[in-house]
Amino acid sequence: MRRVAVIGVGQSLYGVRSDVTMQELAWEAVKEALEDAGVTQRDVDISVVGNVGTRGYELMPAQPVNDYIGMTPKGPIRVEMACATGLVALTVGYNLIASGSAEVVLAVGVEKMTEVDTPTSLAVGGRAGNYLWEFHFYGTTMPAGYALYATAHMAKFGTTEEHMALVAVKNHYYGSLNPKAHFQHTVTVEEVLKSRPIAWPIKLLDSSPISDGTAAAILASEDAVRKYKIDTPVWIAGIGYANDTPLLTRRKDYTTFQATRLAAEMAYKKAGIEPRDVEVANVHDAFTIAEIIAYEDLGFVKKGEGPKLIAEGQTYAGGKVAVNIDGGLKAKGHPLGATGLGMIYELTKQLREERSGPRQAPLKKYIALAHNVAGVGPVSYVVVLRR
Amino acid sequence: MSTRKYTKIEGPTIDSVPLIYKHKIPIQKTYKFWEGLKEGKIFATRCKKCGRIYFPPQADCSDDFSSDMEWVELPKFGVLEAFTKVYARPQGFDDVDPYVIGIATLENGVRVMGWVDPPDEKCVKVGNRVELTIRVIKDRHIIYLRDLSCT
Ligand SMILES: [Zn+2]
């Protein structure tokens, strides 16, 4: 297998973006990523377009996106894996280069979520997993799925609504420092606790927003890194992935996501690192409880100690491990197909030390981790990056 | 309240041509389950070859490539593993009151999802014993988990 580097990244402003179509939005990230790498579409061998698309009017979205971003006649490969689409697009690109099929690949994720109303969005998200045996009978929603894990975690480990609120406070703080975030304001614990219930114990301010957005990465082989004279390549050191049953009633334990534990184990092994080596991470905080469980499943702390880690402030920059210091899904936003690549965008900037002040994680080993989950945990991707 | 600052860049829009999906879902291979609900019974399938119980019911056992299954009725009591009260309802459930979804482990180890009665998140607790019943809500037979500590 050949080594693969991230040589360029781009991300749009996340949020409600009724000023642009999906294609127009995608171009914002692709243009920035191509300029960042110093290459053009002519240098790219193939594109991978990540889009969930279940809320859109373009039912076969990869072709119009690929054409608009100037990639015709090359590509596209369309990728869909619910909320984990972004890191799956990265993985497809990685494999194309590692196997020798391509030298330079463009991976772009894009999502327009706000063209339909919120009840429609909840009904689409609630169909994730298994429509017939869950949504059809019980009107499950994405927040309800995570809320089931929240009540189980609370019952077993004494996790509280205050612990979850602290995750929102941290991620909104970083969102307030990120000019590309959906939410750029801070919140207090009291405001989170008083916000309206969505799926108790999950409240509005525990939830990631319904966002429009796009992110892109240009991937390259070692030869291409030399050819294009990339001075700070960020290497993909290991990718792990795993699956669990989408049927919630067939899961063994509602306090942990098995897919994330297995994916993390695989990624750490391939990268030859331990969880404690990770200095900056973007984890899948679709809801605040998900970030707490991710601390545990990724091995940053032992099972049940996630609440303590956030209570001690150890996941702010300068703590044990800096987590979601771009605002995370919670505050930066969660435009499904873009989310995983938005993590790669942020972590590439972090490893190149292009952030400043409280937004830059202090680095010694230059090791970063991205964690992207589909639905309520049936698919998990973990990517380790090294400078 | 802190000052709210969020991204909302709006522009003029036009309406798309509406597209309505209404699917015909095949139930031939799980027919007994659907008929059982009407009689207040919850059926799972059990693989005759390896004994694995499938719930939701499956017509095929992917463990040993067998499709020789038998129907078994599930026990009526269990223990609540997790629950949530859904306030933000999805399209299709917007005309019902907020409901509590729960997952219970039954006496034979099988887990089922259901709506919890009473729909009171202050009383319902993980670890409480529940009794399974069937009720008809909007022409659909729904499994209810009656929290025995809240009645
Ligand atoms: Zn079998």
Side-chain angles (χ1 to χ4, degrees):
Chain A
M1 294 283 269
R2 307 194 302 164
R3 292 177 83 202
V4 180
V6 178
I7 63 166
V9 287
Q11 190 211 299
S12 74
L13 177 57
Y14 284 1
V16 176
R17 295 290 310 273
S18 71
D19 58 321
V20 282
T21 65
M22 175 179 59
Q23 298 91 302
E24 292 161 352
L25 183 59
W27 175 239
E28 294 182 16
V30 172
K31 180 171 180 276
E32 186 186 347
L34 290 168
E35 286 175 346
D36 185 41
V39 300
T40 71
Q41 293 94 330
R42 283 188 301 280
D43 304 312
V44 177
D45 297 317
I46 190 164
S47 55
V48 184
V49 176
N51 178 252
V52 176
T54 43
R55 291 163 179 81
Y57 56 86
E58 288 288 4
L59 297 188
M60 284 135 273
Q63 302 152 47
V65 167
N66 199 61
D67 195 43
Y68 195 92
I69 64 175
M71 277 303 296
T72 303
K74 291 182 273 192
I77 296 171
R78 192 258 173 110
V79 166
E80 184 282 312
M81 190 47 77
C83 322
T85 294
L87 285 193
V88 180
L90 183 90
T91 301
V92 171
Y94 172 89
N95 287 337
L96 285 163
I97 294 170
S99 65
S101 297
E103 297 300 322
V104 180
V105 175
L106 160 67
V108 55
V110 62
E111 209 71 44
K112 284 299 301 284
M113 298 180 74
T114 69
E115 290 166 357
V116 296
D117 62 18
T118 299
T120 306
S121 224
L122 284 165
V124 171
R127 280 165 164 79
N130 191 308
Y131 164 83
L132 182 58
W133 300 108
E134 292 178 349
F135 183 89
H136 182 83
F137 288 100
Y138 308 113
T140 46
T141 62
M142 201 58 79
Y146 277 98
L148 290 166
Y149 277 76
T151 53
H153 206 275
M154 289 163 88
K156 188 165 180 186
F157 298 115
T159 309
T160 64
E161 291 178 76
E162 285 80 2
H163 287 128
M164 295 184 241
L166 287 170
V167 174
V169 169
K170 172 177 70 70
N171 294 356
H172 270 263
Y173 163 69
Y174 286 111
S176 77
L177 303 174
N178 184 350
K180 286 188 170 182
H182 190 155
F183 293 137
Q184 299 179 24
H185 59 81
T186 56
V187 296
T188 64
V189 168
E190 291 69 33
E191 284 168 349
V192 180
L193 294 177
K194 281 182 188 158
S195 62
R196 70 181 166 88
I198 298 296
W200 189 89
I202 288 174
K203 294 165 287 298
L204 183 67
L205 291 177
D206 288 301
S207 313
S208 58
I210 295 167
S211 314
D212 302 322
T214 181
I218 312 291
L219 310 180
S221 66
E222 273 190 284
D223 288 346
V225 166
R226 275 189 296 272
K227 181 179 172 186
Y228 297 107
K229 300 182 171 57
I230 305 299
D231 49 16
T232 319
V234 166
W235 298 97
I236 298 174
I239 301 181
Y241 38 85
N243 178 245
D244 195 357
T245 168
L247 286 161
L248 292 173
T249 54
R250 288 192 188 164
R251 302 258 178 98
K252 290 185 180 68
D253 186 343
Y254 303 108
T255 65
T256 175
F257 290 103
Q258 172 184 286
T260 292
R261 290 203 319 276
L262 295 173
E265 201 179 300
M266 188 191 294
Y268 290 138
K269 195 176 170 197
K270 285 185 181 174
I273 66 161
E274 299 286 327
R276 65 172 176 275
D277 295 324
V278 176
E279 295 171 303
V280 56
N282 270 65
V283 309
H284 198 92
D285 60 325
F287 300 94
T288 50
I289 184 65
E291 179 164 324
I292 290 173
I293 294 177
Y295 296 158
E296 302 171 0
D297 289 341
L298 294 168
F300 297 158
V301 287
K302 285 196 219 96
K303 192 72 219 150
E305 292 182 0
K308 189 165 158 249
L309 194 71
I310 185 65
E312 290 174 350
Q314 291 289 354
T315 48
Y316 282 82
K320 193 177 170 189
V321 52
V323 178
N324 290 334
I325 61 171
D326 60 352
L329 281 62
K330 174 69 205 78
K332 184 167 90 166
H334 183 21
L336 313 181
T339 294
L341 287 163
M343 296 174 174
I344 299 300
Y345 168 82
E346 175 61 23
L347 296 173
T348 299
K349 298 273 182 188
Q350 289 288 339
L351 291 177
R352 292 185 197 156
E353 296 180 303
E354 290 175 7
R355 300 299 188 203
S356 57
R359 276 274 282 117
Q360 176 63 51
L363 303 170
K364 287 192 188 109
K365 298 174 180 171
Y366 294 89
I367 296 176
L369 176 145
H371 162 243
N372 199 190
V373 174
V376 189
V379 178
S380 186
Y381 273 67
V382 174
V383 174
V384 176
L385 300 174
R386 293 189 91 146
R387 186 169 136 182
Chain B
M1 272 286 167
S2 331
T3 322
R4 295 267 179 264
K5 188 182 175 207
Y6 52 89
T7 304
K8 193 169 189 178
I9 306 175
E10 292 182 288
T13 59
I14 57 167
D15 287 344
S16 67
V17 178
L19 173 66
I20 296 165
Y21 287 158
K22 208 161 164 66
H23 306 90
K24 297 288 181 201
I25 302 173
I27 57 165
Q28 181 177 297
K29 293 196 172 190
T30 52
Y31 195 67
K32 188 163 175 84
F33 168 81
W34 301 96
E35 289 299 299
L37 288 182
K38 294 178 192 166
E39 298 161 18
K41 293 176 176 174
I42 305 161
F43 285 106
T45 52
R46 181 166 55 205
C47 173
K48 284 187 185 172
K49 199 168 167 189
C50 71
R52 180 172 167 186
I53 296 178
Y54 284 93
F55 191 80
Q58 275 188 206
D60 308 292
C61 178
S62 52
D63 280 356
D64 52 27
F65 289 34
S66 173
S67 298
D68 191 12
M69 312 289 273
E70 61 188 348
W71 289 96
V72 290
E73 194 183 338
L74 291 181
K76 289 274 191 274
F77 293 92
V79 171
L80 209 57
E81 296 285 344
F83 69 94
T84 173
K85 182 162 184 178
V86 180
Y87 286 89
R89 276 96 78 204
Q91 187 192 94
F93 291 83
D94 28 22
D95 55 348
V96 294
D97 288 335
Y99 43 89
V100 171
I101 299 174
I103 294 174
T105 302
L106 307 184
E107 285 156 354
N108 63 350
V110 169
R111 283 185 174 157
V112 299
M113 185 178 277
W115 275 3
V116 181
D117 181 35
D120 177 5
E121 72 272 38
K122 299 280 180 274
C123 180
V124 172
K125 287 194 172 43
V126 170
N128 280 0
R129 259 173 75 76
V130 294
E131 181 182 11
L132 277 64
T133 57
I134 310 287
R135 287 187 212 166
V136 182
I137 308 287
K138 292 173 67 175
D139 298 332
R140 286 203 291 273
H141 290 77
I142 307 276
I143 297 174
Y144 263 80
L145 309 171
R146 196 164 66 87
D147 189 319
L148 297 172
S149 307
C150 292
T151 42

